[in-house]
Amino acid sequence: MISALVSVIFQIIIILALSPLLSGIIKKTKAFFQIRKGPSIFQPYYDVAKLLRKDSVISQNVSWIFHAAPIISFAAVMTAGLLIPIFITRLPLGFAGDLIAVVYLFALARFFTALASLDAGSSFGGMGGSREMFVAAMVEPALMLSIFAVALNVGSTNLSYISQTVSGLGIDALSPYQILAFVALFIIAIAETGRIPVDNPSTHLELTMIHEAMILEYSGKQLAIVELGAMVKQLLVFSLLANIFFPWGIASREAGIVTIVLALVVYIIKIFMIGIAMAVVETSTAKWRLFRLPDLLSISLMFSFLALVSFIIVKGG
Amino acid sequence: MLSYLFLGVIAAYLIGSVSALILNKKDRSCTYASFLSASIASILGIVFSFSVLSGKNFEFTAASDLPLTYGLFVDKLSAFFILVISITAFAVSIYSIGYVREYYGKKNIGYLGFLYNIFILSMILVVSANNVVMFLIVWELMSIISYLLVLFEHENKEARKAGFIYIVMTHIGTGFIILSLMILAGSSGSFNFNTFNAAAAALSPGLKDAVFIFALIGFGTKAGIVPLHIWLPYAHPAAPSNVSALMSGVMIKTAIFMLIRVFYDFLGADVAWWGMLVLILASVSALLGVLYALMEHDMKRLLAYHSVENIGIILIGVGVSMIFMASGHPTLAAFGLIAGLYHTINHAVFKSLLFMGAGSLVYATHTKNIEDYGGLIKKMPWTALFFLIGSISICALPPFNGFVSEWLIFQAQLSSIYLSDNITKMLILFSGAGLALTSALAAACFVKAFGVSFLALPRSEHARHSKEAPVPMLIGMGILSLMCIVLGVLPFYFIRIFDSISSPLVGVSVSSMINSDLSMATISAFPATISTAAIAVLVFVVIPLPVIMYLLLKRTPEPKYETWGCGQPISTGRNEYTATAFSKPFRMWFAGLFRPRREIQTTYSDSSFFKGGVRFESQIEPIFEKYLYDPIIWVVVNVSRFMRIIQTGYLQTYLLYILITLVISLIYVGSGG
């Protein structure tokens, strides 16, 4: 019981501590490719800390939804964080949900953020909310097919089970269907974390933004919670990629302290690698027009489709 | 004991209807008499169904010398549907006490109360009839009463059109139902349902297929499967909102009941392509239902299209289960069926809740157009909360009830790995992708429906002057909101009940495979668990608590200010994003399906430099009506024109026809035909 509580709290702390750093590293990498100096990798921490101390200016049109949405969204994302194995497959709360539940918890967070976007009565919020739900709907079928491909391959939708099994397979886990599913999920991760070419996290042009438009009316402490929630979600999406497809090095349930520390280091390296890869993608592509996005996500759908079909053909069931 | 209870249910509904007629001059007492007895009757119905679910089946046959007897047969499946009807009817009846005030002095409440009670009673009899004749009589009673309810506001031209489409479609459906049941009755030589299983076994495969297809078309019409759904978005919104709640929430479920009855009980669900056909139709219904809902801006029509979607989701569960059944995996079939049954009660609960919410909006604003709502959360906080709970549930977001049933369906679809046929396997898995898309689109639709209606500023005078619905309406919605939560966080309790329903149908019980946290670890090698209760506690208590505490402890001034509108003050609802704008990306994405047409006309005042006004019109093309039904109607009308030659309008001619018919019949019989 005590050890379960300790590991839950430890997981929360690791997630909260790492997610701003990941954002900082992505920003720094982008700055490097754009031949800029860029802000320090610790800048997101300073931003959140500053916002947490500031006053909030609240629109006079809003209702309780506007106040509740950041908290519920943050809580939904953090709950998802407790269902995803980060660097150790021991998850005391892992019984509460599987991969599908994680996807739907992200959807719950998105639902409330989108509602809040409509609450202030400005057109920008509505635009953001509408586009966010649009992108989410395009992502969903490909996401579910890749989840199916992974789950069928491993034999479960339970995340620690997936990590443990794939990790145990060693290099054999790099099957064609697994790789195809990874490509599909990588494209989905771009959309889910709101990165170029789907969305531009650093844009301040109202007409092109998606996520930023939704949270335009937030300021001060609430903005801090929203921003932190977005960073945590980003970390979790990358963790899903890392621990579903290359979980090697993840500590098993009964691992000793040395293995755990080693697993943590390996995990941090993996996450940062994905972050840097994401930054490379971001700097090497331009943002796509909203109505070209179905093309991109169709590519992802095709990959997940191929993953599933090749799995069925190879394994035969 | 059980028979007295059932008698009590019938008596209470009859008392409700008769007293409504007697008191029809006094609006207030008539309201209380009819709707209170309906709620008492539904409590009795709940008690009755629970006692059947936990005990023995209930059977009653009237002694008669005639070959046509009437009788009742309530097994666990029927009892479950009586439970669904009764729970919904209970909440809706209480809601109605407040809602019908809308009609005081304008409409005859006695007439409404009478029809309302008989309508619920007819649904209960539909699911408990034990023979074809009795079933067809009560089925027809249900259809006609609901037709009269659709026509309740007959001064509206729309309601009359809706009623017409409904009555035509429902009778086409009944025609197919009669065909299907008569094939079975012809084989068994009896009208009794309990002989049909043996009768179906004796049928040739071709006739069995015919029974299946006719039942699918007949009951599918009532359920609203695409492309037989076209009556549903007309008829459900036209009825008074309390009746819409019952029609969308439970009436279409009686068709699901009969589909399960015919497929499993009568036919044994042992043909593989049946399940595949059901699955394909169900996936198409789910997807098209939600897509049309997204384009809809009439609140009640939007909800009606979501019924098409959810019937699809229920039938995805049933279809997957039928495929497993036919391929000899009864355990997996049980999971599919349990998922379908779970979604049945979930949909009944949240759809009735949402229709009641829509009714409150109509009550407060006198319009069904969501573009005219806005900012209602401040005027109607309770309605908003209940509508939000319904929205989260229908979007299948955890930890509410819709999530549990969709999760179960996903797990059943994953179990297709145990099938040997690759094509079937892929079909099931792709239906999973379709389901995922459906639920994401549903989420978009309800962000639109809730956000545009309840949030930000009022968009019309009506919305500005609205006020909260009366207390009975809130209680009705509150009961079902509570049910959404209970069904969401205590799935293991309900799954046991559904298992006891499905086990006689598929032949195996899976209760030993379900843990209390809803894990199904022992289903072959497929361990997966969810615990919605834990998710609920984490999302709504454990994690928000420290965040809220931080916000309260470090409280700083929160100055209120105008919303940023590029320098222009936002003081009215005119700057808000509309529902049409919100759904625009989806309209563009599915332009091939919707074929949107838009028209923009700018008028100029004084000179061409000053715009006087802009008229914007956006329409989508109803492809099913245009390309499927219009040609059929064209053929029917032309054939009728030809048939008119024999319809002279003279009585003598008709007498001659009768005589000729009689003579021919006598000759036929006389010649030993």
Side-chain angles (χ1 to χ4, degrees):
Chain A
M1 184 65 202
I2 299 289
S3 72
L5 197 65
V6 167
S7 62
V8 167
I9 292 171
F10 194 56
Q11 177 137 358
I12 292 176
I13 291 171
I14 293 285
I15 289 171
L16 288 178
L18 275 182
S19 39
L21 185 62
L22 177 64
S23 287
I25 286 178
I26 294 177
K27 281 197 182 117
K28 194 78 181 172
T29 317
K30 278 172 73 178
F32 171 79
F33 283 115
Q34 292 161 354
I35 323 184
R36 291 188 287 120
K37 189 152 175 277
S40 142
I41 54 167
F42 300 108
Q43 190 60 38
Y45 293 101
Y46 307 146
D47 289 345
V48 170
K50 187 177 77 181
L51 284 172
L52 276 175
R53 277 180 277 119
K54 285 186 78 109
D55 300 357
S56 303
V57 184
I58 308 277
S59 163
Q60 55 207 6
N61 303 340
V62 299
S63 63
W64 63 267
I65 295 279
F66 186 82
H67 294 273
I71 301 172
I72 295 178
S73 301
F74 180 76
V77 170
M78 278 312 294
T79 306
L82 296 175
L83 309 178
I84 300 171
I86 299 294
F87 57 94
I88 179 164
T89 56
R90 183 191 139 93
L91 285 174
L93 290 170
F95 72 91
D98 59 352
L99 188 48
I100 297 172
V102 167
V103 169
Y104 276 77
L105 278 168
F106 287 158
L108 179 68
R110 187 184 307 120
F111 184 81
F112 272 94
T113 318
L115 278 188
S117 77
L118 287 164
D119 208 6
S122 103
S123 304
F124 297 130
M127 250 177 241
S130 162
R131 290 170 184 173
E132 173 88 1
M133 298 316 282
F134 175 56
V135 172
M138 285 189 292
V139 163
E140 208 75 3
L143 180 56
M144 199 48 74
L145 281 186
S146 347
I147 288 177
F148 278 3
V150 170
L152 291 178
N153 185 23
V154 176
S156 174
T157 49
N158 184 312
L159 278 160
S160 25
Y161 187 90
I162 293 175
S163 293
Q164 191 109 29
T165 314
V166 176
S167 168
L169 282 174
I171 203 75
D172 290 345
L174 283 178
S175 51
Y177 27 91
Q178 200 80 351
I179 293 169
L180 287 166
F182 173 74
V183 176
L185 273 180
F186 190 81
I187 296 174
I188 290 164
I190 294 175
E192 282 281 331
T193 53
R195 304 222 147 257
I196 293 174
V198 176
D199 186 9
N200 187 350
S202 51
T203 184
H204 286 287
L205 181 64
E206 289 94 337
L207 294 175
T208 60
M209 51 194 184
I210 300 180
H211 185 256
E212 293 300 309
M214 283 207 294
I215 61 170
L216 204 59
E217 289 299 323
Y218 280 111
S219 55
K221 297 188 183 58
Q222 276 137 339
L223 184 60
I225 298 170
V226 170
E227 293 285 0
L228 193 60
M231 289 189 272
V232 168
K233 186 183 169 188
Q234 173 172 280
L235 179 84
L236 294 178
V237 171
F238 292 177
S239 307
L240 275 179
L241 280 181
N243 288 338
I244 290 176
F245 294 104
F246 29 96
W248 308 301
I250 199 163
S252 65
R253 275 159 206 281
E254 302 83 18
I257 196 83
V258 182
T259 333
I260 289 176
V261 173
L262 201 66
L264 184 58
V265 173
V266 172
Y267 166 72
I268 292 172
I269 293 169
K270 276 192 284 197
I271 291 301
F272 290 166
M273 293 297 282
I274 295 176
I276 290 166
M278 207 55 101
V280 172
V281 171
E282 264 204 301
T283 34
S284 55
T285 50
K287 187 183 175 302
W288 286 23
R289 215 156 46 85
L290 187 67
F291 290 111
R292 264 191 76 197
L293 290 183
D295 299 347
L296 179 70
L297 295 161
S298 308
I299 296 171
S300 159
L301 185 64
M302 271 338 283
F303 274 110
S304 56
F305 175 83
L306 289 175
L308 200 58
V309 170
S310 58
F311 170 75
I312 288 174
I313 289 169
V314 173
K315 287 274 180 104
Chain B
M1 179 59 203
L2 274 179
S3 46
Y4 287 118
L5 255 177
F6 199 84
L7 212 60
V9 174
I10 296 176
Y13 282 122
L14 287 177
I15 290 169
S17 54
V18 173
S19 61
L21 281 186
I22 293 169
L23 293 168
N24 80 81
K25 290 280 183 292
K26 299 190 185 90
D27 285 344
R28 186 169 270 278
S29 41
C30 173
T31 305
Y32 281 101
S34 57
F35 295 112
L36 277 183
S37 40
S39 49
I40 291 168
S42 36
I43 292 176
L44 290 176
I46 294 170
V47 175
F48 171 79
S49 47
F50 265 110
S51 39
V52 175
L53 282 174
S54 58
K56 274 207 194 96
N57 295 348
F58 168 68
E59 215 164 334
F60 170 81
T61 316
S64 164
D65 298 332
L66 294 169
L68 303 180
T69 55
Y70 66 93
L72 301 167
F73 174 67
V74 181
D75 63 352
K76 294 217 162 40
L77 183 67
S78 312
F80 167 67
F81 279 87
I82 292 177
L83 180 69
V84 172
I85 294 167
S86 300
I87 288 176
T88 317
F90 177 63
V92 174
S93 300
I94 291 175
Y95 173 88
S96 303
I97 294 171
Y99 183 74
V100 296
R101 284 180 204 166
E102 170 95 349
Y103 297 117
Y104 281 5
K106 295 183 214 154
K107 288 270 173 190
N108 190 336
I109 306 295
Y111 178 60
L112 178 62
F114 170 75
L115 291 178
Y116 179 89
N117 275 281
I118 297 287
F119 179 48
I120 303 173
L121 179 60
S122 66
M123 290 193 286
I124 289 187
L125 291 177
V126 160
V127 297
S128 47
N130 82 342
N131 67 62
V132 177
V133 178
M134 161 126 179
F135 170 77
L136 287 175
I137 291 171
V138 287
W139 179 265
E140 202 51 28
L141 185 70
M142 177 180 85
S143 299
I144 289 172
I145 298 281
S146 51
Y147 165 69
L148 295 174
L149 285 164
V150 169
L151 282 187
F152 186 68
E153 293 174 27
H154 54 80
E155 62 279 1
N156 283 338
K157 196 167 166 253
E158 276 173 34
R160 293 200 298 273
K161 186 190 174 198
F164 180 71
I165 296 176
Y166 174 47
I167 199 83
V168 170
M169 288 303 292
T170 197
H171 278 100
I172 293 172
T174 309
F176 281 101
I177 293 169
I178 293 173
L179 277 177
S180 163
L181 294 180
M182 282 306 159
I183 296 175
L184 288 167
S187 163
S188 82
S190 156
F191 284 122
N192 207 315
F193 279 160
N194 60 19
T195 62
F196 278 14
N197 190 309
L203 282 175
S204 69
L207 275 176
K208 267 179 99 169
D209 288 346
V211 170
F212 165 77
I213 288 287
F214 291 150
L216 187 63
I217 296 175
F219 294 112
T221 310
K222 192 59 129 197
I225 301 175
V226 171
L228 303 164
H229 68 287
I230 55 149
W231 63 273
L232 207 148
Y234 288 103
H236 289 197
S241 296
N242 52 344
V243 177
S244 317
L246 285 180
M247 283 178 76
S248 238
V250 288
M251 185 185 78
I252 55 176
K253 304 293 157 35
T254 58
I256 297 289
F257 163 79
M258 278 309 286
L259 285 174
I260 294 176
R261 181 67 94 207
V262 172
F263 294 166
Y264 288 82
D265 250 6
F266 298 169
L267 297 176
D270 53 0
V271 179
W273 67 266
W274 293 354
M276 287 167 78
L277 182 65
V278 170
L279 183 62
I280 292 170
L281 284 176
S283 301
V284 171
S285 297
L287 200 53
L288 288 183
V290 71
L291 280 172
Y292 280 110
L294 252 172
M295 293 303 117
E296 200 54 67
H297 303 133
D298 174 316
M299 182 57 110
K300 288 176 78 178
R301 277 179 69 104
L302 181 150
L303 294 175
Y305 272 121
H306 273 287
S307 293
V308 176
E309 175 216 337
N310 278 285
I311 285 292
I313 296 176
I314 293 168
L315 287 177
I316 289 177
V318 174
V320 170
S321 165
M322 286 170 71
I323 293 175
F324 286 137
M325 201 59 188
S327 57
H329 294 89
T331 322
L332 302 176
F335 279 113
L337 192 58
I338 286 172
L341 291 173
Y342 209 138
H343 204 74
T344 304
I345 190 167
N346 285 346
H347 178 244
V349 169
F350 58 60
K351 184 48 64 66
S352 302
L353 169 61
L354 289 167
F355 259 114
M356 289 197 276
S360 299
L361 294 179
V362 176
Y363 186 92
T365 62
H366 301 284
T367 172
K368 287 189 260 181
N369 187 352
I370 59 175
E371 308 278 30
D372 286 339
Y373 296 156
L376 294 174
I377 194 169
K378 286 157 206 141
K379 314 266 182 182
M380 313 170 72
W382 288 105
T383 305
L385 178 67
F386 297 143
F387 198 91
L388 181 65
I389 292 175
S391 306
I392 300 175
S393 306
I394 198 172
C395 296
L397 297 174
F400 290 83
N401 57 356
F403 170 69
V404 181
S405 41
E406 282 199 17
W407 187 86
L408 284 170
I409 292 176
F410 281 129
Q411 293 296 336
Q413 285 167 330
L414 278 170
S415 312
S416 65
I417 192 74
Y418 299 109
L419 291 175
S420 50
D421 180 36
N422 281 347
I423 302 292
T424 321
K425 208 184 289 182
M426 280 186 219
L427 180 73
I428 293 179
L429 293 172
F430 294 146
S431 76
L435 181 58
L437 178 60
T438 303
S439 70
L441 291 171
C445 190
F446 274 92
V447 168
K448 179 191 87 172
F450 184 85
V452 171
S453 310
F454 288 98
L455 301 179
L457 294 168
R459 293 156 195 266
S460 70
E461 276 308 305
H462 292 305
R464 206 161 290 130
H465 300 299
S466 57
K467 54 179 192 291
E468 183 60 286
V471 177
M473 289 167 73
L474 297 180
I475 295 175
M477 288 188 275
I479 292 168
L480 290 190
S481 303
L482 202 65
M483 282 299 298
C484 281
I485 297 170
V486 170
L487 280 163
V489 296
L490 300 174
F492 42 87
Y493 173 72
F494 295 99
I495 285 188
R496 268 176 225 294
I497 296 179
F498 300 138
D499 177 56
S500 73
I501 300 163
S502 82
S503 56
L505 295 173
V506 300
V508 266
S509 165
V510 291
S511 64
S512 60
M513 301 183 179
I514 301 158
N515 297 343
S516 59
D517 55 354
L518 218 177
S519 65
M520 304 192 298
T522 44
I523 155 168
S524 304
F526 225 91
T529 61
I530 54 163
S531 167
T532 35
I535 290 178
V537 172
L538 285 171
V539 175
F540 293 107
V541 185
V542 175
I543 299 173
L545 219 55
V547 179
I548 293 170
M549 265 165 61
Y550 176 83
L551 289 179
L552 289 180
L553 283 176
K554 298 273 178 174
R555 220 183 164 128
T556 49
E558 285 193 347
K560 294 233 183 292
Y561 204 71
E562 284 164 8
T563 301
W564 169 240
C566 293
Q568 271 198 333
I570 293 180
S571 51
T572 64
R574 284 182 60 91
N575 299 57
E576 283 164 32
Y577 221 50
T578 59
T580 314
F582 193 92
S583 51
K584 165 113 188 199
F586 299 95
R587 203 155 48 241
M588 302 278 286
W589 186 20
F590 291 98
L593 170 73
F594 294 130
R595 297 155 186 252
R597 192 180 64 77
R598 67 174 185 170
E599 214 173 277
I600 302 172
Q601 277 178 350
T602 317
T603 50
Y604 296 96
S605 59
D606 302 337
S607 81
S608 56
F609 297 108
F610 298 98
K611 282 187 181 174
V614 179
R615 199 179 141 276
F616 173 84
E617 195 183 301
S618 167
Q619 266 185 339
I620 59 164
E621 198 175 275
I623 52 165
F624 286 103
E625 278 155 63
K626 192 166 173 184
Y627 296 106
L628 182 64
Y629 286 93
D630 282 357
I632 295 176
I633 291 168
W634 187 85
V635 169
V636 169
V637 167
N638 280 290
V639 170
S640 313
R641 196 166 288 147
F642 181 68
M643 295 293 282
R644 205 163 57 188
I645 298 166
I646 60 166
Q647 301 277 348
T648 58
Y650 295 112
L651 191 61
Q652 292 95 317
T653 328
Y654 295 121
L655 287 172
L656 182 68
Y657 293 158
I658 293 174
L659 189 69
I660 294 171
T661 315
L662 189 67
V663 169
I664 293 174
S665 317
L666 283 175
I667 292 170
Y668 178 72
V669 174
S671 67

